[in-house]
Amino acid sequence: MTDAHGTPRDGVQIAATADVDERATIRPGTRVWHLAQVREGASVGRDCIIGRGAYVGPGVRLGDNVKLQNYALVYEPAELADGVFVGPAAVLTNDEYPRSVTPQGRLKSGDDWTAVGVVVGEGAAIGAGAVCVAPVSIGRWALIAAGAVVTRDVPDFALMVGVPARRVGWVGRAGEPLVAKDHGRWICPRTGAEYREDEGRLTESTPA
């Protein structure tokens, strides 16, 4: 298998119309679809899916089994752990104080600003059209609803909705809202796994 530059990529499927820099690392089992771009220095794990028109910035790190849906934009220096899902047209930003020009009116270059990244924990999912405004951290197995705008760190297993995003509940590993029981216990209706809430944090009692 070769990429669009003719560079061997064993065990990797790269569409002819994708733009994958030869300095990017793509591990076996990953598929990069039409019009996607993976920039220099990016690292993509095993068995990932980079959807049509998706963008992976320079030096971005993706774990194994990550899915970037069509036109998802992941700007450097984002770090996505194993099993992360990024929905269609979702954006992970990298500029705290965006401006096209300096205060003197000169077009900004790379030396005129410092990129800050979004960090996404294992198994978390970011819905279609959501925006994560760097620098924020998305906890393990959290779920960001479609169209939400995340401006603050998100705890593990949190269900976040709205603009700006706020927590409205908890989700389990299966992604479904948990059902409240007594004494801070929560149950996943699909798997039966138990979770415990303590001071605004959720932990697994019986992992699925």
Side-chain angles (χ1 to χ4, degrees), residues 21 25 41 44 48 68 74 76 86 90 114 132 140 144-145 147 159 161 176 181 186 199-200:
D21 192 280
T25 300
V44 180
C48 295
L68 303 185
V74 180
E76 69 284 356
V86 182
T114 301
C132 298
R140 298 169 53 251
I144 311 301
L159 173 59
V161 304
E176 295 189 16
K181 297 295 182 180
W186 295 78
E199 296 184 351

Side-chain angles (χ1 to χ4, degrees), residues 85 118-121 124-133 136-172 175-178 197 200-202:
F85 174 91
V118 174
V119 177
V120 186
I126 298 169
V131 178
C132 298
V133 181
V136 291
S137 177
I138 309 298
R140 298 169 53 251
W141 302 101
L143 176 58
I144 311 301
V149 177
V150 178
T151 59
R152 297 181 180 179
D153 290 350
V154 173
D156 296 348
F157 302 105
L159 173 59
M160 307 291 291
V161 304
V163 181
R166 66 194 187 282
R167 189 181 69 80
V168 296
W170 301 107
V171 294
E176 295 189 16
L178 300 180
E197 182 179 359
R201 300 284 173 176
L202 199 75

